[in-house]
Amino acid sequence: MFLDLLEPRPGVIPLACAAPDTPPAELTECYAAILPELAATTSDIGYYPTGHPRLRHAIAEYYRERGVPTSFDQVLVTTGGQQALSLLARAFLQPGDRVLMEAPSSPPGLEVFRAEAAAIHTLSPGMPEFAAAARDHRPALAYAIPTFHNPTGAVLPPLARRRLAEAAAAAGVTLIEDEVLAELGFPGFRTPPPLAAHSDAVITVGSLSKTVWGGLRIGWMRAAAPTIARLARIRAVHDLGGDVPAQLAAAELMPRLAAVCARLAPERQARHDHLRAELARLLPEWHAPAVPGGQTLWVRLPYGDGTSFAQAALRHGVAILPGSGLDPTGGSEDHVRIHYLHPTDTLTEAARRLAEAWRSYRPPARAVPSPPALAV
Ligand SMILES: Cc1ncc(COP(=O)(O)O)c(C=O)c1O
């Protein structure tokens, strides 16, 4: 399932794994800009388990601009946001420890906690019940996606953000805030400051995978300096550090990130609007609410279950994600996640195939449980 989704078969329109499929021109420009420096490199063995200092400084500056004082020793550069999450799970969890997370939630988060044999307790998106759940379950860790929650696309309002961060601090629970999707707002949307602006109990995870390109494999975490030092030791055991040319290019790119996001946002919104319009036209009984940004629609089917329908859709040449694979409780069976990142003519064809699949779809008598969706 994992590799099938990440590397779909020819002829299938991949609407399951959500990430940009074209590196922006700015990335190639940044690689070109660092080549002379790379060619002139001497006296540098190139191993940076905490990340190249230039990129750590650039990421620290990015947080300062978002209103969160950050020094470079509060930043660990990782191989994508995924490695940041894996390292955090490894550092904070013993088998059987409890983790609070939202249901539904993102496959990358879900899988790292499962891999550490954590006992997952679920809360609604935005975690309004955090304080009581922390009291009842005494979790070792909590994980939330407050901006463009994956898969619902919801954005936690300012007051709820403050409450969540303060509740984590009051309970003494480390809260991981996943901001991998946070810079994907449509035009006019202002990404709120991270939850870390409200409390030191929050560790923020970020990445360039969705704003720039997943193939770059640049992610990071922002935390207290002693936590970063501890995580860097664990990271060194994994891979001794990331690709230095990619980090230098990313350091060039960070000051331009807001401009790259602003340039790409109108197209992303146009694709979102187009897919919703096509689904409304061809599948009016589906419920596909608009989102203010991110990459995906969280679609409720009027009957049947997402797993068996995703199989029917695949037979008609479209890969989508069944909702229950994104839900730690196995719930959300009546949902599917569909991304809208393709050009509009591809989305038109995808909607046509989905409508064809839906016409021939006969749901099984009982909902089919979905295997965990190892997807992005
Ligand atoms: C919410 C969320 N967190 C983390 C990741 C992993 O990010 P990366 O590709 O940077 O490893 C993803 C990828 O889809 C994601 O959606």
Side-chain angles (χ1 to χ4, degrees):
M1 178 100 171
F2 183 21
L3 295 178
D4 229 43
L5 287 174
L6 283 174
E7 299 167 18
R9 277 175 270 150
V12 171
I13 301 176
L15 300 183
C17 284
D21 66 1
T22 309
E26 289 90 339
L27 179 61
T28 0
E29 289 163 18
C30 290
Y31 265 100
I34 59 120
L35 285 181
E37 182 186 339
L38 202 58
T41 301
T42 56
S43 312
D44 178 354
I45 64 167
Y47 289 85
Y48 294 100
T50 39
H52 195 283
R54 287 243 315 260
L55 181 53
R56 295 176 76 198
H57 279 291
I59 293 168
E61 176 60 22
Y62 160 79
Y63 283 110
R64 287 196 294 270
E65 279 178 9
R66 292 181 62 202
V68 194
T70 306
S71 56
F72 103 107
D73 59 356
Q74 285 179 269
V75 175
L76 174 65
V77 177
T78 54
T79 303
Q82 181 72 18
Q83 189 187 40
L85 295 175
S86 300
L87 292 173
L88 287 165
R90 176 63 59 86
F92 282 89
L93 296 176
Q94 300 292 327
D97 276 354
R98 296 172 188 144
V99 173
L100 297 182
M101 69 186 293
E102 297 154 307
S105 189
S106 138
L110 190 46
E111 283 311 312
V112 297
F113 302 130
R114 281 187 173 139
E116 296 302 325
I120 294 172
H121 291 271
T122 56
L123 306 179
S124 333
M127 302 188 151
E129 329 86 322
F130 187 94
R135 216 171 28 243
D136 294 348
H137 300 299
R138 285 193 265 116
L141 209 52
Y143 168 77
I145 312 173
T147 312
F148 307 129
H149 172 259
N150 183 0
T152 64
V155 178
L156 200 59
L159 188 57
R161 300 174 87 86
R162 174 183 287 279
R163 281 207 186 115
L164 177 56
E166 290 177 353
V173 175
T174 300
L175 170 63
I176 302 171
E177 138 185 66
D178 188 329
E179 279 210 314
V180 166
L181 305 162
E183 297 287 2
L184 298 177
F186 294 155
F189 180 91
R190 273 202 83 207
T191 297
L195 293 187
H198 303 294
S199 155
D200 291 343
V202 178
I203 295 179
T204 308
V205 168
S207 162
L208 293 181
S209 296
K210 312 299 177 175
T211 47
V212 182
W213 192 43
L216 195 54
R217 305 309 304 136
I218 294 289
W220 60 82
M221 70 179 82
R222 179 205 173 275
T227 307
I228 294 297
R230 181 157 81 94
L231 271 290
R233 279 191 66 82
I234 303 174
R235 189 267 168 85
V237 174
H238 279 240
D239 64 1
L240 293 174
D243 175 322
V244 168
Q247 292 182 66
L248 292 174
E252 277 298 305
L253 199 120
M254 285 306 291
R256 300 172 68 181
L257 186 60
V260 174
C261 292
R263 183 173 73 71
L264 298 175
E267 183 70 57
R268 206 178 312 108
Q269 177 163 31
R271 293 173 180 192
H272 160 273
D273 295 350
H274 182 80
L275 180 58
R276 282 194 71 239
E278 285 299 280
L279 293 179
R281 187 170 69 80
L282 297 170
L283 290 156
E285 63 276 44
W286 284 18
H287 182 61
V291 288
Q295 317 179 109
T296 54
L297 296 179
W298 183 235
V299 178
R300 197 179 68 229
L301 305 175
Y303 58 84
D305 69 279
T307 307
S308 61
F309 178 66
Q311 286 161 0
L314 196 58
R315 286 195 292 277
H316 284 81
V318 192
I320 58 175
L321 273 189
S324 62
L326 305 179
D327 193 316
T329 66
S332 308
E333 301 101 332
D334 57 347
H335 278 77
V336 291
R337 195 194 77 177
I338 303 181
H339 84 66
Y340 48 78
L341 300 178
H342 288 300
T344 49
D345 54 349
T346 310
L347 294 175
T348 301
E349 173 60 13
R352 192 194 65 74
R353 292 185 193 182
L354 286 171
E356 202 178 80
W358 185 249
R359 271 196 300 277
S360 62
Y361 174 57
R362 300 288 168 268
R366 288 180 54 210
V368 183
S370 190
L374 264 167
V376 297

